[in-house]
Amino acid sequence: MDYSAKIDESLQRLHDEGRYRTFIDIERRKGAFPHAIWRKPDGSEQEITVWCGNDYLGMGQHPHVLEAMHDALRATGAGSGGTRNISGTTVYHKALESELADLHQKEAALIFTSAYIANDATLSTLPLLFPGLTILSDELNHASMIQGIRHGNCAKKIWRHNDVAHLRELLEELDKDAPKLIAFESIYSMDGDFGPIEEVLDLAEEFNALTYIDEVHAVGMYGTHGAGVAERDGLMDRIDIINGTLGKAYGVHGGYIATSAKMADAIRSYAPGFIFTTSLPPAVAAGAAASVKHLKTDPHLRELQQTHARILKDRLKAMGLPITDHGSHIVPVHVGDPVKCKMLSDLLLENYGIYVQPINFPTVPRGTERLRFTPSPVHGPEEMDKLVHALDDLWSQCALNRADLTG
């Protein structure tokens, strides 16, 4: 076996299919976001505007967050020193969990090193707590949820995306006394569509099922206090486990679940992904807590972000670009071809200083390749004008289809 040749074949296949992922070396500068510096492979540099970041509100440079991190760093040093069980639980971790429990109006919260790990660890542990558990998963759930369900080695059923009638059919096939859990998302990040939360919760109560919702693209962004779509819709109290992230709208790092004290205790006690992982650095926990606390009482940033998203969608629609608009803050522009999608991304970066990564298979199904824009409160009129004009030019150059606006 020529192992080196096999690696070459595998990598070349990605290049041929337009799916090879290129890491762009960027340098973010405090106070300048969404502007950054692109460090090119040849050693030169170029100023760019980041249009695909998940720091949705620019909280990664907020003075309250940075001050809290600096204070904790000066007070404690760099790392946590261990797992949560072995010296890695500090006052900063407990304060963050308290903020998150309060945010979601739950008895407890449990923080993890990322929302991916939170999903994987929690969903893989639930079958240990409920022998015979069946997990019913929306077909477009995030990879981390799918991974967690696989690692749980329990029975699973996949329901068609947002199809509550199909979910009912699957629930009716199960023993009414057997343990079951419905796993879904509040916002699906590739299309920006919302999950049917209330209808799912109605079914869960009817069939005595637990509910697990991933709000990673919604926390900080929706609801009176930024707790997510479930808060906006007045449904948080009906959900058993809420998963969220600290690395998107909150602008820091880490993930968490919010749930009952008993459930949090069980996950804490059984999940290897929690037990055997070094805890977040105290400075990170402090910064995340400051961000959560700030956004509970400051709706201005999320309101401005929604305004900018609506403006961008309206302008792209006016040019006939094929965008998907489900009313969320995410702006997907469909290309439908992996090679052209990568080419558009490259041209935007090299010729216009606009950084947006192509979204290709396996993140989305083949034939649905897209560019995914995430406008923020700090993407102003100048940045938006430049983006819209660049897309207009490139769409024509690449001979891509536009909607017929004459009718």
Side-chain angles (χ1 to χ4, degrees):
M1 169 67 72
D2 186 341
Y3 294 102
S4 180
K6 287 297 182 183
I7 293 173
D8 289 340
E9 289 176 15
S10 297
L11 291 174
Q12 188 59 49
R13 187 162 59 249
L14 293 177
H15 282 286
D16 294 342
E17 295 175 0
R19 296 196 294 119
Y20 182 77
R21 302 187 182 201
T22 303
F23 291 166
I24 306 300
D25 186 2
I26 64 173
E27 178 184 335
R28 283 180 54 149
R29 293 180 174 176
K30 182 181 68 174
F33 184 77
H35 301 289
I37 301 298
W38 172 29
R39 302 289 184 187
K40 299 182 180 182
D42 63 5
S44 64
E45 62 182 51
Q46 177 182 336
E47 184 173 305
I48 61 170
T49 302
V50 178
W51 273 98
C52 58
N54 285 334
D55 186 357
Y56 291 137
L57 302 178
M59 289 300 292
Q61 59 185 1
H62 195 282
H64 290 177
V65 174
L66 300 183
E67 182 182 7
M69 295 186 74
H70 281 299
D71 288 347
L73 185 63
R74 284 191 293 265
T76 69
S80 69
T83 65
R84 289 292 297 275
N85 188 50
I86 304 176
S87 79
T89 295
T90 71
V91 294
Y92 300 98
H93 298 87
K94 298 302 289 184
L96 174 55
E97 288 175 339
S98 178
E99 284 287 352
L100 293 167
D102 175 73
L103 174 69
H104 292 288
Q105 294 298 290
K106 295 295 184 185
E107 293 176 340
L110 204 60
I111 53 174
F112 295 77
T113 50
S114 72
Y116 187 107
I117 298 299
N119 272 334
D120 188 359
T122 304
L123 288 167
S124 64
T125 298
L126 290 171
L128 298 176
L129 306 179
F130 307 106
L133 179 69
T134 297
I135 297 181
L136 299 101
S137 175
D138 185 289
E139 67 177 337
L140 293 189
N141 276 342
H142 189 271
S144 58
M145 299 175 76
I146 295 169
Q147 190 80 327
I149 294 167
R150 285 174 177 163
H151 286 164
N153 293 316
C154 67
K156 67 177 183 292
K157 290 181 177 289
I158 311 300
W159 47 292
R160 290 188 293 272
H161 178 53
N162 282 352
D163 188 339
V164 291
H166 186 223
L167 175 59
R168 171 179 284 278
E169 292 174 11
L170 297 178
L171 285 165
E172 288 173 341
E173 296 173 358
L174 300 175
D175 182 342
K176 64 182 179 64
D177 296 322
K180 52 192 76 73
L181 177 137
I182 303 171
F184 64 116
E185 300 185 34
S186 63
I187 296 179
Y188 292 84
S189 63
M190 289 302 108
D191 282 327
D193 56 329
F194 294 89
I197 302 176
E198 187 168 15
E199 294 90 333
V200 170
L201 296 177
D202 289 343
L203 284 177
E205 291 171 4
E206 179 181 347
F207 288 92
N208 191 28
L210 294 170
T211 49
Y212 186 104
I213 190 168
D214 180 310
E215 288 249 41
V216 297
H217 289 278
V219 290
M221 303 292 293
Y222 297 84
T224 303
H225 304 95
V229 180
E231 182 191 33
R232 183 198 68 180
D233 296 346
L235 300 169
M236 283 197 302
D237 62 312
R238 298 175 60 190
I239 300 171
D240 294 296
I241 305 173
I242 298 173
N243 169 275
T245 184
L246 303 165
K248 292 184 170 63
Y250 291 119
V252 191
H253 181 72
Y256 65 90
I257 59 169
T259 183
S260 67
K262 187 180 295 186
M263 181 71 80
D265 191 26
I267 299 299
R268 176 189 72 84
S269 301
Y270 278 90
F274 180 86
I275 295 170
F276 299 108
T277 300
T278 300
S279 64
L280 289 175
V284 171
S291 185
V292 172
K293 184 175 183 179
H294 177 84
L295 287 177
K296 284 179 183 177
T297 58
D298 181 6
H300 173 69
L301 286 175
R302 49 182 167 268
E303 291 169 357
L304 188 57
Q305 195 280 338
Q306 291 285 342
T307 298
H308 287 182
R310 283 195 298 271
I311 292 171
L312 179 59
K313 289 176 183 178
D314 288 344
R315 295 189 65 178
L316 296 180
K317 287 178 186 177
M319 295 193 306
L321 266 61
I323 80 162
T324 301
D325 184 3
H326 292 285
S328 74
H329 60 284
I330 294 169
V331 186
V333 179
H334 285 256
V335 179
D337 179 278
V339 175
K340 287 187 176 181
C341 195
K342 179 67 167 62
M343 179 174 63
L344 280 170
S345 173
D346 290 343
L347 290 173
L348 282 168
L349 181 65
E350 294 165 6
N351 297 347
Y352 298 89
I354 292 170
Y355 174 41
V356 58
Q357 278 288 75
I359 308 294
N360 292 339
F361 179 84
T363 306
V364 295
R366 297 180 193 275
T368 69
E369 294 81 7
R370 67 202 66 181
L371 300 174
R372 176 180 172 274
F373 298 93
T374 53
S376 76
V378 289
H379 285 87
E382 183 178 343
E383 288 85 5
M384 198 172 298
D385 285 345
K386 187 175 180 180
L387 171 64
V388 169
H389 294 149
L391 285 173
D392 193 20
D393 291 344
L394 290 177
W395 223 256
S396 298
Q397 289 179 33
C398 296
L400 292 167
N401 291 331
R402 299 186 191 232
D404 182 3
L405 301 178
T406 59

